[in-house]
């Protein structure tokens, strides 16, 4: 029924569509729209036909079903009849039995008790029979209900069948209608197709005409190209000729190239040879210049004297206090920077040294003065720089300086680094440093693991006569950072050893020994130069009353070693045969660096204030004494007049140390016995000089 309803709706829709189609005027040349529409219609028609076939199939199925149901109904009716007959028989049988039973019961009742039992049995049986009867009646009832139901179903089916028949008739009428519509649409379509065919033919004709015109133009072009080709052929021929010629040339090119290369090679070889010979010449000249420079340098140093003495006056500081004691007692000569004036106990005293630095002089100014000495160390010379003076006069400031304003020690190493760097292409240098201190005539390693250990100075076993200190630590340094580390290490060693470092350092000599070893890369020549930077113990004299015990011992040792240093320098400058190096650890240790063609600079530190004038006078006299031993090679003279006659150089008896025999030559404390009062001695020119490494 649902299906039928759907079909009916569809039919109504089709009818509406058909109506629409009929209402629309048929466009003669609507193009493809009509053909599409007719195709759609055709599809629909075939769909409808299919549906009709389907419906027909369904109808026959329904008919079959009805038939089956009718058959079953007949069957059921037959069975019903059988059942009824059976029932009637059963009823009859049962009623017969009932009757019989009643009769039996009656007869039995009349009989004796054993018969009662039988009666009972029969009564029981009769109830069973009754139950079977009621069951049969119920079944009968049920069968009757079923038959009624089947009859109802049959009736409904018959109705359905009838409506299906009606629907089929209707559908058939519709199909006929659609077929006629389809035919009409087909006719329209044919017409349209014909008109389209005509259009197509027309278009083809037009295109053909156009193609013919274009073809003509192409033919004309082709003719033009053919004539061009004819003219190009001779050009091609000449090009081919050219190409062949070039090919021949290229074939011959490697040969030409080889020849050219050969000649260029020969030219280059010649040029290289010329450059080589030029280089050799330049190298030779360079070496000669180097030698000349060395000679000039040596000459300069020689002219300045191998032992030079300069003074540095420190500024007045807060520590000097106030009042008349702290007034300035030192003045300078505006025209001569080698003169210093001191007002001592109201009397002006003047001294002449190699150079005098006023308090205004910077660390750099002082370093400038010693720079040449330090560079000569690279060339294999031994150099000693001493800072001499009373405690607080600025020795440590000049040698070590402050972290912001370093002194000679750090500046010297920096200069060595940069000089070595400059020569790095020809020379291979290594710079090592050692730090030691001499306290109470005991030598200690400041960079060693055991700073307490006493070190000895020994002669080299190689027979060279050189001295060395077994166990003295040497650090290789390559940068300012390395130096700082080494200095810091030395300082830490010293601080941990001594509780009052300031006091201790003023009573000991601190030595920084820098060794510069070089190898000439081209000749293999080796040089070794040693730079000894010495911050000496305070030169102040200790009074008889103020010194006892260990302080007295310290003073004696300091006195002894400073006197020995003065003696050695004096002996060296006066070219004495015997130089008393062994009189102190300091001079013995520095023997190599003080003798021969070594160079020595003494920086005498001076305090400018009134209260220190006595010590200042002493220091300046010591300086002048050292300096005046020799005024210059050849023409310079030794002025020894003031040497032995100075009462201030005589030690107070309490400090006097037992004099070693060598001291008799020159020690200031040895009095006037060994020296003539005033000798002007003409000194020899410098002895044979150390081989110059070039
Ligand atoms: P020394 O080592 O001779 O005992 P110091 O070098 O310790 O003496 O100097 C004593 C004080 O004077 C220090 O505080 C130092 O900074 C200062 N001093 C020394 N020389 C100068 C100078 N040229 N300029 C400024 N201050 C200086
Ligand atoms: Mg000091």
């Amino acid at each position: 029924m649902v299906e039928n309803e759907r079909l009916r709706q569809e039919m109504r829709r089709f009818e509406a569509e058909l109506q629409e189609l009929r209402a629309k005027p048929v466009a003669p040349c609507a193009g493809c729209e009509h053909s599409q529409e007719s195709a759609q219609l055709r599809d629909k028609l075939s769909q409808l036909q299919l549906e009709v076939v389907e419906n027909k199939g369904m109808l026959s199925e329904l008919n079959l079903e009805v038939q089956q149901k009718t058959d079953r109904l007949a069957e059921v009716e037959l069975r019903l009849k059988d059942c009824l007959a059976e029932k009637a028989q059963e009823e009859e049988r049962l009623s017969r039995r009932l009757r019989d039973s009643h009769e039996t019961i009656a007869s039995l009742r009349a009989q004796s008790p054993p018969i009662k039992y039988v009666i009972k049995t029969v009564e029981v049986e009769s109830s069973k029979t009754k139950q079977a009867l009621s069951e049969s009646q119920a079944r009968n009832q049920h069968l009757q209900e079923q038959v009624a139901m089947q009859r109802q179903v049959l009736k409904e089916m018959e109705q359905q069948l009838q409506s299906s028949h009606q629907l089929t008739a209707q559908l058939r009428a519709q199909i006929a209608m659609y077929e006629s519509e389809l035919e009409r649409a087909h006719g329209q379509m044919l017409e349209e197709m014909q008109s389209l065919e005509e259009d197509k033919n027309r278009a083809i004709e037009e295109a053909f005409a156009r193609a013919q015109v274009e073809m003509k133009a192409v033919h004309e072009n082709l003719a033009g190209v053919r004539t061009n080709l004819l003219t190009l052929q001779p050009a091609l021929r000449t090009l081919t000729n050219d190409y062949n010629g070039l090919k021949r040339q290229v074939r011959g090119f490697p040969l030409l190239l080889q020849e050219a290369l050969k000649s260029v090679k020969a030219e280059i070889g010649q040029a290289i040879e010329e450059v080589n010979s030029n280089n050799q010449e330049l190298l030779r000249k360079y070496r000669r210049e180097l030698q000349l420079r060395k000679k000039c340098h040596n000459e300069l140093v020689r002219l300045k004297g191998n032992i030079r003495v300069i003074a540095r006056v420190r500024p007045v500081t807060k520590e000097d206090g106030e009042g008349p004691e702290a007034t300035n007692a030192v003045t300078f000569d505006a025209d001569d920077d080698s003169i210093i004036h001191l007002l001592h106990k109201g009397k002006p005293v003047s001294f002449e040294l190699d150079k005098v630095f006023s308090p205004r002089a910077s660390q750099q100014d002082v370093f400038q003065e010693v720079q040449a000495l330090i560079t000569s160390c690279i060339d294999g010379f031994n150099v000693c720089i001493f800072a001499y003076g009373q405690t607080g006069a600025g020795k440590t400031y000049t040698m070590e300086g402050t972290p912001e304003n370093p002194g000679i020690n750090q500046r010297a190493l920096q200069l060595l680094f940069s000089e070595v760097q400059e020569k790095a292409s020809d020379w291979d240098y290594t710079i090592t440093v050692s730090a030691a201190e001499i306290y109470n005539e005991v030598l200690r390693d400041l960079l060693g693991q055991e700073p307490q250990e006493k070190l000895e100075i020994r002669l080299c076993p190689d027979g060279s006569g050189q001295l060395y200190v077994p166990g003295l630590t040497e650090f290789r340094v390559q940068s300012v950072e390395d130096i700082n580390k080494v200095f810091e290490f030395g300082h830490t060693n010293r601080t941990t050893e001594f509780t009052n470092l300031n006091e201790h350092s003023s009573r000991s000599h601190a030595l920084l020994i820098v060794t510069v070893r070089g190898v000439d890369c081209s000749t293999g020549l080796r040089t070794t130069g040693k730079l000894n930077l010495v911050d000496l113990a305070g030169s102040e004299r200790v009074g008889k009353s103020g010194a006892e015990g260990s302080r007295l011992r310290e003073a004696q040792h300091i006195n002894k070693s400073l006197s020995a240093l003065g003696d050695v320098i004096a002996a060296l400058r006066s070219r004495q045969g015997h130089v008393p190096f062994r009189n102190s650890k300091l001079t013995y240790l520095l023997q190599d660096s003080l003798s021969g063609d070594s160079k020595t600079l003494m920086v005498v530190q001076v305090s400018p204030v009134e209260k220190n004038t006595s010590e200042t006078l002493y220091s300046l006299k010591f300086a002048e004494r050292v300096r005046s031993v020799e005024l210059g090679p050849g023409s310079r003279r030794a002025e020894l007049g003031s040497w032995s006659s100075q009462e201030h150089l005589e030690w107070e008896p309490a400090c006097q140390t037992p004099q070693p025999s060598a001291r008799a030559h020159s020690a200031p404390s040895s009095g006037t016995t060994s020296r003539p009062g005033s000798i002007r001695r003409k000194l020899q020119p410098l002895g044979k000089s150390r081989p110059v490494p070039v």
Side-chain angles (χ1 to χ4, degrees), residues 391-392 394-397 502 505-506 535-536:
T391 300
K395 296 183 296 297
T396 308
Y397 185 85
N502 265 350
S505 62
S506 75
D535 182 354
L536 290 168

Side-chain angles (χ1 to χ4, degrees), residues 477-537:
V477 286
Q478 280 168 310
S479 63
V480 179
E481 288 75 43
D482 291 352
I483 312 166
N484 287 337
K485 266 186 226 160
V486 169
F487 286 174
E488 206 173 301
F489 185 55
H491 197 258
T492 318
N493 254 349
R494 241 181 155 192
T495 338
T496 47
E497 284 301 310
F498 303 99
T499 39
N500 191 342
L501 180 63
N502 265 350
E503 213 169 90
H504 170 79
S505 62
S506 75
R507 286 165 203 165
S508 61
H509 309 299
L511 291 101
L512 181 72
I513 303 158
V514 182
T515 313
V516 186
R517 293 183 180 90
V519 182
D520 187 335
C521 301
S522 51
T523 62
L525 187 79
R526 284 171 189 275
T527 63
T528 304
K530 229 189 234 181
L531 171 65
N532 302 279
L533 301 158
V534 191
D535 182 354
L536 290 168

Side-chain angles (χ1 to χ4, degrees), residues 400-419:
E400 286 178 22
T402 57
E404 313 78 56
N405 202 1
I408 292 173
N409 290 5
Q410 204 189 89
R411 285 172 201 265
L413 278 158
Q414 268 177 359
L415 178 69
L416 288 177
F417 288 145
S418 68
E419 290 281 314

Side-chain angles (χ1 to χ4, degrees), residues 197-222:
E197 186 76 29
E198 278 165 14
D199 282 353
K200 184 188 88 183
N201 288 344
R202 224 180 5 256
I204 288 172
E205 269 168 27
E206 276 171 18
F208 183 68
R210 251 202 324 272
Q212 266 185 335
V213 172
E214 277 170 17
M215 190 77 164
K216 208 170 165 189
V218 167
H219 272 301
E220 278 164 13
N221 266 349
L222 190 69

Side-chain angles (χ1 to χ4, degrees), residues 415-578:
L415 178 69
L416 288 177
F417 288 145
S418 68
E419 290 281 314
V420 158
Q421 191 78 36
E422 251 175 54
K423 291 179 155 195
S425 55
D426 303 314
W427 285 81
D428 192 8
Y429 282 106
T430 49
I431 300 176
T432 57
V433 298
S434 298
E437 94 169 358
I438 297 170
Y439 174 67
N440 282 352
E441 285 302 278
V442 173
L443 177 65
R444 286 201 177 87
D445 184 3
L446 288 181
L447 302 180
Q449 296 301 321
E450 309 265 348
Q452 277 296 356
E453 201 185 334
K454 278 186 188 180
L455 296 180
E456 291 303 326
I457 304 161
R458 297 240 157 83
L459 260 175
C460 264
D462 59 7
S464 61
Q466 300 257 315
L467 294 169
Y468 83 113
V469 181
L472 183 66
T473 315
E474 248 187 301
F475 277 117
R476 186 175 175 184
V477 286
Q478 280 168 310
S479 63
V480 179
E481 288 75 43
D482 291 352
I483 312 166
N484 287 337
K485 266 186 226 160
V486 169
F487 286 174
E488 206 173 301
F489 185 55
H491 197 258
T492 318
N493 254 349
R494 241 181 155 192
T495 338
T496 47
E497 284 301 310
F498 303 99
T499 39
N500 191 342
L501 180 63
N502 265 350
E503 213 169 90
H504 170 79
S505 62
S506 75
R507 286 165 203 165
S508 61
H509 309 299
L511 291 101
L512 181 72
I513 303 158
V514 182
T515 313
V516 186
R517 293 183 180 90
V519 182
D520 187 335
C521 301
S522 51
T523 62
L525 187 79
R526 284 171 189 275
T527 63
T528 304
K530 229 189 234 181
L531 171 65
N532 302 279
L533 301 158
V534 191
D535 182 354
L536 290 168
S539 62
E540 61 272 17
R541 293 152 299 162
V542 178
K544 188 180 180 182
S545 51
E548 276 175 349
S550 66
R551 183 71 189 94
L552 179 63
R553 217 162 75 86
E554 276 173 359
Q556 286 170 341
H557 283 302
I558 295 166
N559 173 35
K560 181 186 157 195
S561 58
L562 289 179
S563 304
L565 181 65
D567 293 343
V568 164
I569 293 175
L572 284 168
R573 291 195 71 162
S574 59
R575 304 256 163 232
Q576 290 176 14
H578 175 73

Side-chain angles (χ1 to χ4, degrees), residues 282-327:
L282 281 173
L283 209 64
R284 206 175 49 75
K285 279 183 181 162
Y286 167 72
R287 293 225 168 101
R288 213 181 53 209
E289 283 303 312
L290 214 63
Q291 216 158 352
L292 216 63
R293 189 182 81 94
K294 184 116 342 194
K295 263 189 196 161
C296 288
H297 182 81
N298 289 346
E299 192 61 22
L300 185 75
V301 175
R302 200 173 59 83
L303 285 171
K304 278 187 170 183
N306 266 5
I307 299 170
R308 298 182 64 234
V309 182
I310 62 172
R312 185 181 192 187
V313 183
R314 73 154 167 82
V316 179
T317 64
K318 265 189 219 151
E319 284 71 35
D320 292 321
E322 278 172 19
E325 283 215 315
T327 52

